[in-house]
Structure formats: C-alpha cells, structure tokens
C-alpha cells in the first residue's frame, strides 16, 4: 500500500510517499481502509522533532492522527464493530497514523461515522472537535447562561468551540481576523472582535466565565486574558508551550489542555453533526501524495481552515 512517512526528523522535505507493507490487525485492533485523514498542527511539530518528549514515535513514522474510513479486517477480541462499518477516530498520537491507504486502530477509539456528511469529510472532526469539547466542558465546566471568550476562534478548533458553546446556551465572544470573521459569525458568535485592530482586553468590557485561548499569542497577551475572567472562572489554554495564566487571589484557574481520545465524546459530536447542530467544515481536500507540500505550506502559515488528506484507491 501507499503511505507517507518520515525516516528522520526535519522540515517537510523529510516526508516520503512510498510503498509499505499493509498492516495486520492484532488483538483489539481493526484495520481501516482510509477514506481520509486530516492535517493538524501537531503533525508538523512531531515531524520536526519538537514533541519527542510528550509524543515519542518510532521511525519511520506515518503521520495522521484523525481517521475516517471503512473497517476491512478485525483482530481477535473485537466486538461491536463489523467489516464494512464506516468509522471515525482519534488515533494514538505516538502510533502509526492514517496518512496511508490502510491503518490499524484500537477498536475502542472508534465511533460510527456521521451519516449526514461525506465519509472523507468526517476526518475533519475528531481531534479538533474533541479539543473544543474537552476545553469547554471537561475543563471549563460550561453551563447555559455563561459568558465565554474564545481567543483565536478563526481556526479549526475555534469553529467547533463557537458552535458547541452556543449550543450549550452560552454568550460567545470570539476573536478573529477579517479573513475568518464571517465564518465565526455564522458559527454563532454573539460578538466578534477583530484582534488585528483591537485589543481584546479593551474590547471585553464585562467579565467572562471562561476564556479559551486557541491562538499562539505573545506571553503578555495570554497573561492579560486572566484579567477578563470573573472570580472563580477559568482560563483554558491549548498553546501548551506557554503555561495558562491563573490568579489565585481571585480563584481564577489556569488549565493547559492536552486533548485525549474519547469515543463516547466523539459519539456525542457525531450525533450533533447528524442532527444538524454541528457543522463540519472542510477548507481543502488534498491527495495523499501531496502531503509533503501541505506540510510546507503550513510551515509558511499558508494553510487556513481544516484540510483533509485523501489517499487514492488501493
């Protein structure tokens, strides 16, 4: 089968589109014929060698944490999944990824794919959808009527975070550039702040219950978010190379989010999508052979929105 792998850490040129052996599922695993994976920024960080501590991978390594596809073989001990099932999942970050025609996945990490969108497009959901869900509900403890600030709402996680917060009955304040402001508004934001022209600290005039930071902002900008949160509130931060700020005197917690695979939560996101309550947006569809070029564009800051990566038929 075809896969994209890197044999050493480095810039996007280390990625190779090559022939590899088709994997055989072990106990508790299924093999998936990949309809698509997606590009996530962490893919570039793993390839560059910057995540060897928290996410040790074995070289050569195939990237691709998200998967959407069709089960085509079962390992021993797998129940509740059948050959022919369409599934999606968030694969182990330190394992072999889905930038290939076939991939192995732990059966317990998979959810039935949404039926309301094309199977390949569903690869845009798992990692970023779970990041938004866990930030708002696991860590933010969001409830109806609360005020939420989503800093960096124009990205892929932000689009889901705005929708989920709005669905939960929150008042959503979002920051976005002019390029993405319309998308953020259509996702349901009540207020949109143009962070290219306006200071977030100045624009937010009433305290929020949750400040969710999704943007690689300067340290002083991240620190300023804590001043916008009411006593007892929380700052949830996904840019983990800068720790989340907190304010012990006012009981404002700072939480650094490390997203985890959770099939039950993914089931909930799929149900929302199938009910028309969660829009799955795909900005681009890129052939698997062009993944090295996609990594290069991302390194140059030229990728906007969620991109799925589609292998050719085996």
């Amino acid at each position: 089968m075809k896969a994209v792998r890197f044999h050493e850490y480095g810039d996007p040129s280390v990625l190779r589109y090559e022939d590899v052996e088709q994997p055989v599922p072990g106990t508790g695993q299924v093999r998936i014929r990949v309809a698509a994976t997606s590009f996530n920024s962490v893919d570039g960080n793993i390839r560059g060698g910057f995540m060897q501590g928290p996410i040790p991978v074995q070289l050569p390594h195939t990237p691709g944490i998200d998967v959407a596809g069709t089960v085509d073989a079962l390992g021993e001990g797998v129940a509740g999944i059948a050959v022919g099932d369409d599934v999606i999942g968030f694969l182990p970050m330190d394992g072999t990824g889905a930038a290939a025609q076939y991939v192995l996945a732990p059966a317990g990490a998979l959810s039935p794919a949404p039926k309301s969108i094309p199977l390949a497009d569903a690869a845009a959901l798992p990692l970023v959808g779970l990041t938004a869900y866990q930030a708002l509900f696991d860590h933010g403890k969001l409830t109806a009527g609360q005020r939420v600030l989503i800093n960096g709402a124009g990205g892929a996680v932000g689009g889901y975070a705005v929708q989920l917060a709005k669905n939960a009955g929150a008042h959503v304040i979002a920051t976005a550039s002019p390029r993405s402001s319309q998308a953020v508004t259509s996702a349901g934001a009540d207020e949109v702040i143009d962070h290219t022209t306006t200071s977030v600290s100045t624009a937010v005039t009433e305290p929020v219950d949750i400040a969710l930071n999704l943007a690689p902002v300067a340290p002083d900008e991240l620190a300023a978010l804590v001043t916008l949160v009411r006593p007892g509130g929380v700052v949830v931060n996904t840019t983990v190379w800068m720790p989340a700020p907190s304010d012990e005197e006012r009981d404002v917690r700072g939480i650094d989010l490390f997203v985890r695979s959770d099939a039950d939560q993914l089931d909930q996101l799929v149900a929302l999508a199938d009910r028309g309550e969660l829009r799955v947006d795909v900005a681009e569809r890129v052939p698997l052979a062009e993944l090295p070029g996609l990594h290069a564009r991302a390194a140059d800051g030229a990728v906007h929105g969620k991109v799925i990566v589609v292998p050719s038929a085996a």
Side-chain angles (χ1 to χ4, degrees):
M1 70 173 189
K2 291 293 187 182
V4 171
R5 303 194 298 180
F6 56 88
H7 295 249
E8 61 277 330
Y9 296 111
D11 66 26
S13 68
V14 300
L15 292 166
R16 303 180 194 173
Y17 181 63
E18 59 191 10
D19 291 306
V20 302
E21 289 294 321
Q22 190 179 91
V24 176
T27 301
Q29 292 182 319
V30 303
R31 186 172 65 207
I32 298 170
R33 186 173 69 250
V34 177
T37 184
S38 81
F39 176 79
N40 293 288
S41 58
V42 70
D43 292 325
N45 291 328
I46 293 171
R47 184 214 68 236
F50 308 121
M51 304 294 286
Q52 293 181 57
I55 310 175
V57 299
Q58 183 176 346
L59 300 179
H61 177 69
T62 303
I65 296 162
D66 292 313
V67 66
T70 303
V71 174
D72 92 314
L74 306 177
E76 291 187 14
V78 173
I81 297 178
V83 170
D85 285 355
D86 290 339
V87 294
I88 63 171
F90 173 5
L91 300 176
M93 286 189 172
D94 59 354
T96 301
Q101 290 175 317
Y102 293 86
V103 69
L104 301 182
L110 301 174
S111 295
K115 295 176 169 45
S116 56
I117 60 174
L119 178 58
D121 287 5
L125 179 60
L127 186 145
V128 288
L130 287 170
T131 300
Y133 186 97
Q134 291 168 19
L136 292 170
F137 301 109
D138 288 0
H139 300 297
K141 310 298 183 187
L142 176 66
T143 58
Q146 291 188 319
R147 289 168 55 83
V148 179
L149 170 64
I150 301 173
N151 193 45
V157 175
Y160 289 117
V162 171
Q163 293 181 77
L164 291 171
K166 194 62 184 172
N167 288 347
H171 179 90
V172 180
I173 307 165
T175 75
S177 68
R179 184 187 65 244
S180 52
S181 61
Q182 182 55 48
V184 170
T185 300
S186 67
D190 297 286
E191 304 175 43
V192 179
I193 299 167
D194 180 357
H195 66 80
T196 67
T197 61
T198 308
S199 163
V200 178
S201 299
T202 302
V204 178
T205 56
E206 297 180 39
V208 298
D209 299 278
I210 303 168
L212 170 56
N213 181 61
L214 306 171
V217 296
D220 60 326
E221 294 178 81
L222 180 61
L225 293 180
V226 77
T227 67
L228 306 177
V229 178
R230 65 160 179 80
V234 61
V235 177
V236 182
N237 177 46
T238 63
T239 55
V240 294
W241 58 89
M242 293 188 295
S246 60
D247 185 340
E248 292 184 7
E249 289 186 6
R250 296 193 305 117
D251 190 29
V252 176
R253 294 171 297 131
I255 296 174
D256 294 304
L257 171 65
F258 295 87
V259 64
R260 58 184 173 80
S261 182
D262 189 311
D264 291 336
Q265 291 179 353
L266 192 52
D267 287 345
Q268 294 180 53
L269 294 173
V270 168
L272 287 170
D274 278 342
R275 291 200 302 266
E277 297 173 17
L278 187 69
R279 190 178 69 214
V280 177
D281 289 324
V282 174
E284 288 184 72
R285 296 165 183 83
V286 172
L288 177 62
E290 297 177 18
L291 183 58
L294 174 60
H295 272 241
R297 286 195 290 128
D300 290 338
V303 172
H304 307 294
K306 193 65 178 170
V307 181
I308 62 169
V309 179
V310 182
S312 59

